[in-house]
Amino acid sequence: MNPVFDLGTQLSGTINDTLVVSLPHFRPELSLAATIVLLLLCRMLPVARLLDSALVALGGVACGLFFAWSDFRGMPGLDWSGSGAAAISGRLELFGGLLAFDSLTAYIRLLLMGFLVLFILFTKVSGIPDREDGADFYSLVLGSTLGMCLMASANHILMVFMAVEMASVPSYALAGLLKGRKTSSEAALKYAVYGAGAAGIMLYGLSLLAGVLGTCHLPTMAKQLAQLAATGMPGGTGLTLAIGGLMVTAGLAFKLSAVPFHFWCPDVFAGAAAEVGAFLSVASKTAAVALLLRVVYGISVPATGESHGLELAALGETRHFITGVIALMAVLTCTLGNLAAYGQTNMKRLLAYSTIAHAGYLMMGVAAAVALAGHNPAAARAAVSAVCFYLGTYLFMNLAAFAIVALLRNSLRSEEIASYAGLIRTNPGIVVATGIVLVSLIGLPPLAGFVSKFLVFASIMEAVTLSAERPLMLILLVVGGLNTVVSLFYYLRVLKVMAFDPPPAERTAEAFPLVSISGALVTALVVPVVTLGIFWSGLYACARLAGAFAS
Amino acid sequence: MTASELSQPAFWPLTLILFLPAIVAAILALPLIPKAKDESIRWIGLVATIVVFVLSLWMGVPSLFGPLGPGQFELGEPGMQAVVKQPWISAFKIEYLLGVDGISMPLVMLTTFLSVLAAAASWPITKHVRAYWILFLLLETGMIGVFVSLDFFLFYVFWEVMLLPMYFLIGIWGGPRREYAALKFFLYTLFGSVLMLLAILMLYFASDLTKLSREQLVAAHVVSGTLGEPALSEAVMAIQTSPTPLHTFNILALSHIGQLPESPFAAMRFWGMSVETWAFLLLLIGFVIKVPVVPVHTWLPDAHVEAPTPISMILAGVLLKLGGYGILRICYPICPGAGLALAWLVCGLGVVSMVYGAFAALAQKDFKRMVAYSSVSHMGYVMLGLGVWSAVEGNLYQSDAWAQGVNGAMFQMLAHGISSAGMFFMVGVLYDRVHHRNLEEFGGIFNRMPLYSSLAVAIFFAGLGLPGMCGFIGEVLVTLSSWNYSRLLAVCSAFTVILTAAYILWAIQRVYLGAEYKGPHGEDLTPMTRRELAIAAPLVVLAILFGVAPQLLFNYVTPTVNQQVETLTAWTRSVHDGSRIEHAASLPASASLSEGSRP
């Protein structure tokens, strides 16, 4: 064959792939990238300097949200009535297999873009960043989110690493946003050092995996692994793979703030501004869970094809291993997060531990999904849907929680729980809003947090009945249940301080009233927490579609 | 939901009764009424509870309102009535499914009635009046919701909805140790309800609608019986021919599945125990915490003592009944195998709390604490009555005694709702005046407040179980029925009657009799106000009325209870016969022997 001719088809194939297939599905990311450039350019031009960078960012993100929504709406098999018609993942490989576009990508991108819109509005109301820092702040946030979108669609271990770094590096800078504050710089440094360490370990693990399996493309890796497992591994290969897998897990666990890689989380949250905490706890967590699903599913569940059944069976041992690791980590994360939260006196630290605990619940759902993957694909899809639903409600709950912390900080000049004492006398509205958010985080009906927990527990219960991991799943169920009871203590303590305790005598500043822009923001975030607890069919239909990626 | 579905006659009565308090709470939450107008908030709240009570009367006692119309309760009809069925979450087949039968209708009326009285008793509350009434009304919606929900998911939602208002009602408006008591209440109940959630999920994933017959599907309201003929058959066919198992949260359908000869709940096993047994135990723990039963009762004395008077009335009058209701409505019909095997546990727990509660009440120095422990003791009768599964082979499957026990337990729940709410109110009246509850420091109240004291003594006699008062009927029926199940338990429960008489008579003697009141704040012992009289008098009247005319309640309760007991007895017989036939196939000689040994 003529090599020149070959190059020609190759080139035209690549161009075709990029322009016709890939870029149309990449519009949200492109609009983020364009907005970043615009934000930086605005600084150069004296006229454009007058433009508020928050508005520029908001415009760009709204554009991204529109594209993300139209991508999601365009997915085949979105079934609002939930009548049980099978959802379709609509999987496409973009950029020569580097990225995967499917319903999970579309769903997570939708969540991230929706979050960004709310987040920018929130920062505009709360006043951090100020006008000077606006362009820096928003370009960092948008850049980080761009990385997170890539995390949600990574299909190649090179992209896994690149996306994680792209999401992390701007976050380090964001943590240090409060310039001249010691705690903020400390948080940034701690975050960066931890992040660099975790990235190094992860890269090493990825190279081990790639070296043994001879490819970096996740679906191909699964095929290779299945072949290896079916034909019997040469001595040491299994161990290398296991070590590689554990090292990759360390990197993912860092992003998830899972025990034992959670140490950065409370310090960073306490040191950084509450706004940054909101970003890290919602967006970063959402992307990390999506990436965990991608990697875990990519490597242990082979793509559909003629030898799908054989490969799926061959990877049973791998899934058993992965389930064990994730379940163990979930148990530790959840329990430690809830126990450690009990002793906190600072609201941001408490929310940091609450974030850790919720990562545990989310990982339980992922463990159930992997356990079910080989036994009952429909149930596995339901488990992934449960996790996706959880992410959707978690967005509102945690953003609302951090928004309340930030807005109360503005009026009370404090983030200590004790300083919230007796707020019910002056601001019943804000106490009710906090109550709804915290009770939803406990997971009591009729609020969104309950439905999420219900769905995750239901999936674990299904894994108890259907999968081979019965004892492990039962442990998850019991630990999850007990943790819900334990979490009651510390969430209720905040409410107790707000509602039962007398206000401190020296309080001078009044907290903000509910009838104000701040109040409107809090209301806008809290209303979905209630409505998604009662009318959750719509979000669940979206999550079901996202869960179809697992087919 | 289309307009025609909303206009179905049965949709509105139950829905209104259920959500009217919550709607009024939402309206109160809007800053429409200025802060200074606390009085108008109280009136709005009271009127709302009265409207709900009248609505429940319209439903439950239609004869007061003219001929029977659609959506009203027909006496003597054992099945579910006024069923409301709307899809809610179609992905999980969760429905907005409500209905009432002879077990739940009287409990709903008790709830709405006590809510009116508790609302009237809330006038002395002056702190954060608006918040108090919002929480109070939300609590009412939660309580009614538990009694009328026929979907397990919905049931669980309402079960939990009650927790938070109660936590705040005790924690903000309670006595000195209110925070401790509120948290303890919340923790105990949440622990129980998490276990309940696990049981619900377990049953959901083990359930399979395809195993039910057409009649059962219609009876369980899985398929609406009001559908026209071709549509009905199609719907039934669609369920029965489904290739995959169809899970359900429908409590009635779960009961039918649980009573199938080859129930999937009995077949599936975890570590040697069937799903049925696991679910029964998990649910039982959740329910007995609410009842409460020794040894998980310790939240109750604290919560009762610290709660303000109206909330104590609600706690004792309604919340404790939720546990008994759950056992009767959910545990036994859905998990009959486990219920039969573990009847000794339920009965044993009942008798232990009966005796322990009575002794503990004898030892109390605090008037309210004494009444709280009397509730533990009285609810023990409910447990015993529900548990006496005496219709077994040795008893020739005679269901009479068991039916008597369950009827007695139901009556005891309703009677205790009246008498305990009354007792707590009477303690509250005294506390409002003298600001202490120390039994040692009372005495001579009769001379100072004769009207109050006579009403109080009447209510305490009802609690004692004096013949002719409402407390008597339930205790006697339960004690009699337990004789057939276990003589020891019957003797214990009869013996407890003496203890009950002892602590109540002793309390009456120490508080109301005696020459003169020597305790603190003697000058404040003013006669009962008209508001207080309006609350106490209906309770006393009902306590006497239900004592002399118990059929007023039995007319509601008996048809449904008897039907359930007969169904479960038939189930017991079929299971026992089935196992005996199996046995006979393997061992023909011993089978003929056992046949011969039967009288």
Side-chain angles (χ1 to χ4, degrees), chain A residues 157 205-216 221 240-241:
Chain A
I157 54 178
L206 288 173
S207 67
L208 282 183
L209 291 183
V212 172
L213 299 174
T215 171
C216 290
M221 286 173 90
T240 316
L241 284 172

Side-chain angles (χ1 to χ4, degrees), chain A residues 408 422-432 507 510-514:
Chain A
L408 283 179
L423 268 184
I424 193 152
R425 282 159 220 218
T426 47
N427 295 77
I430 207 70
V431 174
V432 169
R507 179 184 293 158
E510 289 279 296
F512 62 95
L514 204 59

Side-chain angles (χ1 to χ4, degrees), chain B residues 76 234 267 573 596:
Chain B
E234 273 166 31
R573 188 195 290 268

Side-chain angles (χ1 to χ4, degrees), chain B residues 100-114:
Chain B
V100 282
D101 63 1
I103 297 171
S104 47
M105 192 68 236
L107 287 168
V108 169
M109 289 194 280
L110 177 74
T111 308
T112 55
F113 173 65
L114 287 182

Side-chain angles (χ1 to χ4, degrees), chain A residues 81-83 424-425 428 439 442-446 450-451 454-455 457-459 461-462 464-465 470-471 474 477-478 481-482 484-485 488-489 492 495-496 499-501 533-537 540 544, chain B residues 35 88-94 127-128 131 153 156-158 160-161 163-164 167-168 170-172 178-179 182-183 186-187 190-191 194 197-202 205-206 247 249 268-271:
Chain A
S81 65
S83 58
I424 193 152
R425 282 159 220 218
V439 171
I442 299 174
L444 293 185
F450 163 68
V451 182
F454 168 80
L455 290 172
F457 286 1
S459 289
M461 182 56 93
E462 209 163 17
V464 172
T465 37
R470 190 177 264 192
L474 205 84
L477 207 56
V478 171
L482 288 181
T484 305
V485 180
L488 180 76
F489 274 110
L492 269 192
L495 284 187
K496 187 202 82 119
F500 300 175
D501 290 359
I534 302 171
F535 304 104
W536 45 281
S537 277
Y540 190 66
R544 257 169 61 98
Chain B
K35 264 211 168 92
W88 180 17
I89 309 293
S90 43
F92 281 82
K93 302 275 182 312
I94 297 171
K127 198 165 97 180
H128 308 309
F153 187 87
Y156 186 78
V157 167
F158 283 120
E160 298 270 282
V161 160
L163 285 186
L164 215 59
Y167 171 75
F168 284 110
I170 299 174
I172 296 181
R178 54 182 182 250
E179 288 170 18
L183 187 63
F186 205 150
L187 264 184
L190 185 67
F191 178 75
V194 166
L197 182 63
L198 298 190
I200 293 175
L201 290 172
M202 217 177 235
F205 284 113
H247 304 318
F249 282 112
M268 200 186 282
R269 305 181 88 79
F270 296 109
W271 290 281

Side-chain angles (χ1 to χ4, degrees), chain A residues 46 94 116 218 227 233 296 305 323 347 370 375 381 384 433:
Chain A
L94 308 186
L116 267 192
L218 279 170
Q227 219 157 27
M233 297 191 196
V296 157
T323 313
M347 189 66 185
V370 181
H375 299 271
R381 276 198 298 276
V384 176

Side-chain angles (χ1 to χ4, degrees), chain A residues 44 72 89 157 179 248 261 291-292 296 398 424 506 522:
Chain A
M44 309 281 173
F72 188 74
S89 75
I157 54 178
K179 283 174 252 167
V248 176
F261 303 98
L291 181 64
L292 181 69
V296 157
N398 257 34
I424 193 152
E506 71 275 20
V522 172

